[in-house]
Structures are given as structure tokens and as C-alpha cells.
Amino acid sequence: MLFGARAHAQDAAAAAPSEPASAPEADVTTSAPELDTIPVAGDEPAAVQTDGGSSPGLAEIVVTAQKRKQSLHDVPLSVTAVGAEQLADINASDLTDVSYYIPNARVDTDDAGSPQVFIRGFGTNTFNPSFESSVGFVEDDIFYGRGAYFTEAMFDVDRVEVLRGPQGTLFGKNTVAGLYNVISRGVTDNFSANARASYGSYDDFRFEGGVGGMFNDWFGARLSFMTHQNDGELRNTYLHRDENDLNQNAGRLKLRILPLDDVQMDINLVRSDSSLNFWPYELAKLDEGTYNYLSSFDPDVEDDPNDFKTEFNAPGFIDKGSSTESMKTDWSIGDLGGIHDAHLILVGGYSKLYINQLNDLDVSPADILNLYNHEHYNQTSVELRLEGQSDSLFGLGKSVDFVTGGYFFRSNYRLLAQIVAGKDLGSFVLTDDFLQLATGNSNINLITALGLPGLPLVGQLLAPVIGNDFYQFDYTQQTTSLAYFAQATWKISDHWSLTPGVRINHETKDLETAGTGCPDKLVSGLCFTSLLLGANDYDVPGKRDETDISPKVALQYIWNDNLNFYSSYARGYKSGGYNSLSYTGEDLPFKPEKAATYEVGFKSRLFDRHLNFNTTFYYTTLDNLQVLAFHGATTNVGNASATSRGVETDVQWLTPWRLLTINGSFGYIDAKYDSYPDAPAPISDGIGATQDLKGKTIAFAPKQTATITPILTVPMPWNLMMRLSGDALFQGEQYTDTDLDPYTRVGGHWEYAARMSIANQDNNWSVTIGGKNLSDKRVANQVTDATVFPGSYFVQQAPGRELYATLQLNW
């Protein structure tokens, strides 16, 4: 749904002036014959004439959720679309900002290397690099195979489409929970340019702009760029620096070549680089022994998880970036036998990604364990598809729209990571925390009772004995996928249509995973890091060879042009793999995920298209859900099975008071494990304890999500207009760790945002002031067990209050 995408009749322009808009793309100006007007998301909203001929209604929203341009109203899927206008209005800088307005969706991008993305309660913790995301990411027709692409620069965007439920038929593997489909602005017929500058709390500065158009009848280009700096909200009082401070730069060059009248070639070159001080965690719930030990390194150490202060000693960082080159060729064949408006489309792309980072694993002023991580990834993909329509299905019924094609994907991934002993590991060995980890008995309190002083000095004396002490992970994986897909929409009659589809995918993975203890230890046979982690050396090659068939079928009943009902069944698939962060080399394989979803819903345009109301009910079963379990200093991977059921609703209402539009959304999730017998238990049950989570709720699955956004547009003197808008955002209670520890539970809460914009009637400029989380609500995004301090926790806070001002120019 596009907030604020309201249409205005020409005779009503003075009373309700249109909002700032981006220029329409040259390649998406065709409109479906059954609709009055279908502008692309982000285009100038056009009037939709009703039977009376004078009353303005809400503009259509065009999406490509089925790889062809359609009105959102006609797509038999649960889809929410956010256009360029709303992205600018809410001052969105990443997909986390967007997700607040998507029912039953969650995106956590505080960890730029391992973002967590969930739809309908299902997702993957990509902290383990061998896990691929269960939510797919596609940008400008290119599927990206690593979750880290979710945190690459998002700029010059025309719209974001969020497709819920398995999307395996048209978009392939790794879409068992859904898909984020991002479309950037394209080359326009006429020369156009835009720029947007924003400044806000914590010295947040973001500038993006784009310029281009067709230079002649066969060549055009668009150049866009973005720079973003932010000091970060989390203060490290030990290192006297800001954590999560961001420095991000990106650019995109689009070329359009029309070598023939019926051939269009689009070349897309993108580059993004980011660097930031890193580790967005705070300590919480320190026991007496842990506090006494850490305060000997920093007397100001504290465990308040809501004050945006941390005290770890390692100057962590993350540097990451990507480059992508892609080309899309669209040959408009026209009539091909009995096929009309046939298009042969070839999409090819190459992308590479790098991540280098240092993390303080103990998140404390003591130098105990650090993680060095280096990742290198590249992928090549080619898709060839044929689209078109016929008058009937072999003389039966009415028209058939179809898309069919083949897909090739190959990727190479390399991980080299080291858990390195710090200079204070020797003193940590003399603490109750170490004894608890070594014995598995969390009730040991011998040293706390003795109150031994001088532990930092002990650590310094033992540092030469520990020497170059580390545990290293080395993981390589090559993936090759081949797929054939086909989907058609058969209009059986004026009221019924049927959409069957299938994708046949074959995938191979050749991999090797190894773990090695410190080879240069000074004391032969003794490796403190391996001892602490319970690790040993291993080197295991692996191979996976999997074939999957993902079918889909949707039945749609079209009551009239403004109301339709649909039901569907779809399957999705994500391949299995081997654990890349094992300490023992045991139980390495994990199975592929397979999801099946049933949906029933309706899409309506009511009251002369003044109210859009779309609702979907769903039921999803997911077999072999890939789960990551934290056990203190160790992590394990495995499989579970789960069921999620619920509802999502999008609403857009152009009220009788024509200056006011009200938009909203609502989501409900009931997601529970059907089987998870060896799940991690809360630390209060003992170190390494397990539990059976059958029938228990899934973490990161809030019961309810809701938004309501009133938008008031007021004409002003001097050819100006004012726009006032606000958001009330609700997120229900949820657990933020797999073990469902009560301490990791975040209660339901509301957050509020507001904005005021002044613009001229010609949409050449606008000035906005606004704020997010105006009540400064302090809540946690995630809470996990502390790595080496049993009974304590790491907390990652959600952002506090943020104020900002923006200036936007359009030419």
C-alpha cells in the first residue's frame, strides 16, 4: 500500500494539491485495459474517474510481484508496496525503517553483516554464515544469495514490494517466508533530476540524488548516488567513542540502449561501501562475581540495558561493500503464432561482496575473546523468460497471461574467522564464570566468596604463557542451481481466473568446513581458547545434491472491478548445508527447509474507490526450520518444524473531508513449534541445558503489529501547501532469543512519529521536519545469553528518539 498516493481530479487541484512525485519510468507506462489509470508507484497520482465522472478516488498501485506489471488490486497474493513518496515521507534510510509499515514483517539491520529478516514469524539468524536467509532479496530483477545484501545502500528507490509467503515458483529458492523486491528509479523519457538532504539526531546526515533521461531516440542514462554518515546512538564509555557510527557511500549508473525499435537494453552498475565502529551490544544482569571482576578493569562498568552505554575494550569495526553489474534485454516480439504481446527477456548479472570485521565477543572492558571475520562472496545469475498472452486456453475460456523460463545461478563463498584470546584470558581462567563454563555447573561461587584482588595483573603475567592462542574456522562453498519455471493466469470467465505455476530446481553444493586450534601456543598441548570453547580440530568435506519441485495454484473470483476474492496454495524451498561455526566437527549437516502455505483473502476498492481494504488469512507449515541455538560461548545449528497462522490487512482511506487520508495496517501471528525436542533452555536451567519447545511460540514473532497514519494536506497562501502526517506504530510482545528465556521477552508497545512538510504547488521543492519514536520508548531489539558470563545477557537496543529535517528538490 502506498501511503499518501491519492488521486486528484483536475478541477480539485486547488483544493487538494498533489504531492511531490518522481518522474515516471519510460518502460512502465502501459496500463491494463480494465483499469482507468495505473501509474507506477511513485509517479504523479492521476485521477480515477468514477461513475459520476467528477469525484476523485485513490490512484492505482502497480507492482511486479508476478514478474509482470499489474495493479496490486489484481494480484492474488498478500503484498504490501511502499513507494518513493512514502519512503521520503518517513525519511527511510534502510529496510528496517520500511518494515515498521509492513504487517507481519520484521527487519533488524543493526548487525550490518548478519541482518535478521522475518515474515510471518519465519526467518533465519544469519550470524551463522552457512545459513542462507529464508526471506529472499531481489533488486532490479537480480536475486542476491546472501543476507548481507539487505544492508547494502538503499537509495534512488522507486518502490519496495514485500511479498509474504513462499515465492518459490517465480523467484526460486530461499523465499520460503517471503520476498523483498526493490525497484530503483529508471531512465525517464525526459531529462529529470532530484536531490534530497537530511540532517538529524546524532549528526545523522544523508544526501542522495539522481539525474538523467533519454539523450536521443536510442540512448539514455541515469546517474544516482548517496552518502550517509551517522555518529551512532550507542556510546562506548571505555573507548570514548560512538558505536555503530556509519559511513556509507554508494552510486548507481543506469544505461538504456534502444538498438532496434523492438529491443530495449538496460545496463545497471552499482557500488556500495560501508564502514562503522561495531558491536551494538550492552551488558545486562551482571552477577556479583562478574561485576567485581569487570569493575577491576573499569570502575564505571554497569549493566543498564536501556541507557545506550557500553564498556567493551576492543575497537571493533565492520567494513563491507558490494559491486554489481547486470543487464536486462527486453525483445518485444509482438505476435508469435497464437501468442500476443510476446516478450523475450534476458537478465544476467554478476555481483561480489566482502565483509571484514572485528567483534569484542565478551562485550566487556576485560580483553578475553575477540572475533576476526573475513567473508568473500561472488555470484553469477542468468534468467531467460518468455512472457505473453493468448486469447484462450485451446479455445476454452478467455485470455491467458503467462511467463515461463529458465534460471542459472552459481556462487562462491569463503569464510575465514578466528576467535582470538585476549591478554586478560589468563585472569578470566581464575573466575567463577570460567569454572562454571568448564564444569557446566552454574552454581559455583568459590572465587566470588574469596574476593581475590589483582586479577588484571594476573592476566598480564599469564599473557606470555597463553601466547598466540586462537581457534579458527575455515569454510568454503560453491553453489550451482538450475531451474525451470512457468506460471499462467487463465481468465476462465468474466468472474473466475485460475493461476497455476511450478518451479523445478536442482542444486548442488560443494563445501569444506574446518576448525583448527592454535598452532603456535607456547605451552605444548594446551590451548586455552579450545579449552574454553570445548573445541577440537576437524576438517570435513561435504556435498549436497538436491532437487525440489515448488508448485503453486491460485483461484480468484472477481465480483466486479472493485472487489475480488482469492485462495491459493504455494510451496517454497531453501537448501540445506553444513554448519560453518562448529567447534567439534560433529552434527554438521542441517536439512533443507520446505514450506507450504494456504491463503484466503480479498481485495476491495469501496465507496467510489475512496477506500482500499485488503485482507489475507494464511496457514503455513514449515518442515526442517533451520535454527541457531546459543549455548554461552558455543552455537549449535539444527532443524525444527513449526506452524504459523494469522492475518494481515492493509487499509487506505480518502476520507469525505478531501484534505485527509488515513492509512493503516494490521497483522496477527500465531507461530508455534510443532517439533523442537533439543532446543536450548534458559541459562537458569543450567549451562548447556535443553528443553522441548513443542507447542511453544517462536521467537521474533510478535502476536500483533499495527500502524495508523493520518495525512492532512492543507493549501496555503503564496502557491504553497502544507502536509501534516503522523504514525502510531504498535508491536506486540515477543521473545528475542530461541530459548524463550523470560528475560528476553519484550512487551507490546506503541511508538509515535510525526512530520510536517511545506512545498510549492509545482513540486519543485519541499522542506520537512519530523521525529521518530517521539516518546523515546526504550525497548530491546534482541537479548541473548552473554558469551562468557553465565547468567548475564547481551542487549541490543532499538533506536530512541530521533529528530530530523530534510530538503528535497525536483527538476
Side-chain angles (χ1 to χ4, degrees), residues 326-344:
S326 66
M327 183 172 71
K328 178 180 179 180
T329 301
D330 186 341
W331 177 22
S332 179
I333 302 173
D335 289 343
L336 185 63
I339 301 174
H340 307 302
D341 194 24
H343 286 254
L344 187 64

Side-chain angles (χ1 to χ4, degrees), residues 93 139 151-157 206-210 222-229 246-253 268-275 320-324 354:
S93 60
E139 184 170 28
T151 58
E152 289 299 88
M154 189 182 76
F155 65 104
D156 204 36
V157 173
R206 178 183 170 95
F207 179 83
E208 69 173 280
R222 180 175 178 84
L223 176 65
S224 57
F225 50 90
M226 185 275 289
T227 184
H228 188 189
Q229 288 88 39
L246 174 66
N247 189 341
Q248 187 175 53
N249 297 284
R252 179 186 292 112
L253 175 62
N268 194 10
L269 309 175
V270 188
R271 175 81 186 194
S272 173
D273 290 284
S274 305
S275 63
K320 71 185 290 280
S322 67
S323 61
T324 301
Y354 73 90

Side-chain angles (χ1 to χ4, degrees), residues 601-778:
F602 66 88
K603 297 188 176 183
S604 61
R605 298 180 292 212
L606 307 174
F607 307 119
D608 290 334
R609 299 191 181 185
H610 284 64
L611 174 66
N612 291 343
F613 190 88
N614 303 328
T615 294
T616 300
F617 299 88
Y618 75 89
Y619 180 91
T620 299
T621 59
L622 201 155
D623 294 330
N624 298 320
L625 174 67
Q626 296 166 8
V627 289
L628 175 66
F630 291 93
H631 292 278
T634 65
T635 61
N636 295 324
V637 301
N639 292 99
S641 61
T643 297
S644 176
R645 70 197 80 192
V647 62
E648 46 248 352
T649 295
D650 285 318
V651 179
Q652 185 181 21
W653 181 29
L654 180 58
T655 68
W657 185 29
R658 291 165 53 179
L659 303 181
L660 177 65
T661 300
I662 299 177
N663 305 286
S665 67
F666 173 77
Y668 174 81
I669 302 174
D670 179 17
K672 295 180 179 178
Y673 290 109
D674 298 323
S675 176
Y676 193 4
D678 298 314
I683 192 66
S684 58
D685 292 352
I687 298 173
T690 61
Q691 62 178 326
D692 188 348
L693 286 181
K694 179 179 180 180
K696 301 296 184 180
T697 188
I698 294 175
F700 303 109
K703 284 282 189 182
Q704 305 91 10
T705 55
T707 67
I708 183 168
T709 301
I711 304 169
L712 181 64
T713 305
V714 181
M716 299 177 64
W718 306 300
N719 200 33
L720 299 178
M721 68 175 183
M722 180 174 64
R723 172 189 169 109
L724 301 173
S725 59
D727 307 307
L729 312 170
F730 179 77
Q731 188 165 92
E733 69 172 18
Q734 61 182 310
Y735 289 93
T736 60
D737 199 5
T738 308
D739 60 11
L740 306 186
D741 187 325
Y743 193 81
T744 72
R745 176 187 168 275
V746 176
H749 61 278
W750 287 92
E751 292 185 14
Y752 305 94
R755 301 162 294 280
M756 181 181 72
S757 299
I758 303 293
N760 70 336
Q761 295 280 2
D762 296 328
N763 303 320
N764 299 124
W765 61 267
S766 66
V767 176
T768 302
I769 58 172
K772 304 177 183 180
N773 191 9
L774 292 175
S775 62
D776 199 23
K777 183 71 175 180
R778 303 292 179 93

Side-chain angles (χ1 to χ4, degrees), residues 472-625:
Q472 177 172 301
F473 304 99
D474 198 338
Y475 183 84
T476 60
Q477 176 177 290
Q478 182 181 82
T479 302
T480 303
S481 295
L482 289 169
Y484 164 76
F485 60 90
Q487 180 173 299
T489 297
W490 177 30
K491 193 171 183 180
I492 303 172
S493 68
D494 290 337
H495 293 287
W496 291 95
S497 65
L498 181 69
T499 303
V502 67
R503 189 184 192 97
I504 303 172
N505 188 82
H506 179 74
E507 179 172 290
T508 60
K509 285 183 178 178
D510 294 289
L511 54 90
E512 185 170 6
T513 181
T516 308
C518 45
D520 299 327
K521 48 189 174 291
L522 296 181
V523 180
S524 178
L526 182 61
C527 184
F528 286 93
T529 307
S530 296
L531 178 64
L532 177 62
L533 300 174
N536 54 258
D537 294 0
Y538 66 91
D539 189 343
V540 179
K543 185 177 180 67
R544 300 195 68 90
D545 193 316
E546 301 171 355
T547 299
D548 174 74
I549 300 176
S550 295
K552 168 190 173 179
V553 62
L555 181 64
Q556 193 170 23
Y557 177 71
I558 305 165
W559 182 279
N560 55 38
D561 287 345
N562 295 318
L563 177 63
N564 66 75
F565 302 86
Y566 66 93
S567 61
S568 67
Y569 167 81
R571 279 195 53 200
Y573 161 81
K574 186 178 82 170
S575 58
Y578 279 58
N579 184 6
S580 63
L581 295 183
S582 173
Y583 296 112
T584 64
E586 300 174 353
D587 300 323
L588 291 176
F590 51 87
K591 299 177 183 179
E593 291 184 355
K594 294 186 177 182
T597 292
Y598 301 87
E599 291 186 357
V600 176
F602 66 88
K603 297 188 176 183
S604 61
R605 298 180 292 212
L606 307 174
F607 307 119
D608 290 334
R609 299 191 181 185
H610 284 64
L611 174 66
N612 291 343
F613 190 88
N614 303 328
T615 294
T616 300
F617 299 88
Y618 75 89
Y619 180 91
T620 299
T621 59
L622 201 155
D623 294 330
N624 298 320
L625 174 67

Side-chain angles (χ1 to χ4, degrees), residues 23-27 156 158 183-188 192 212-213 221-222 254 256:
E25 294 188 14
D27 62 339
D156 204 36
D158 183 65
I183 299 92
S184 64
R185 291 174 175 171
V187 181
T188 54
S192 65
R222 180 175 178 84
K254 286 191 170 186
R256 173 160 296 167

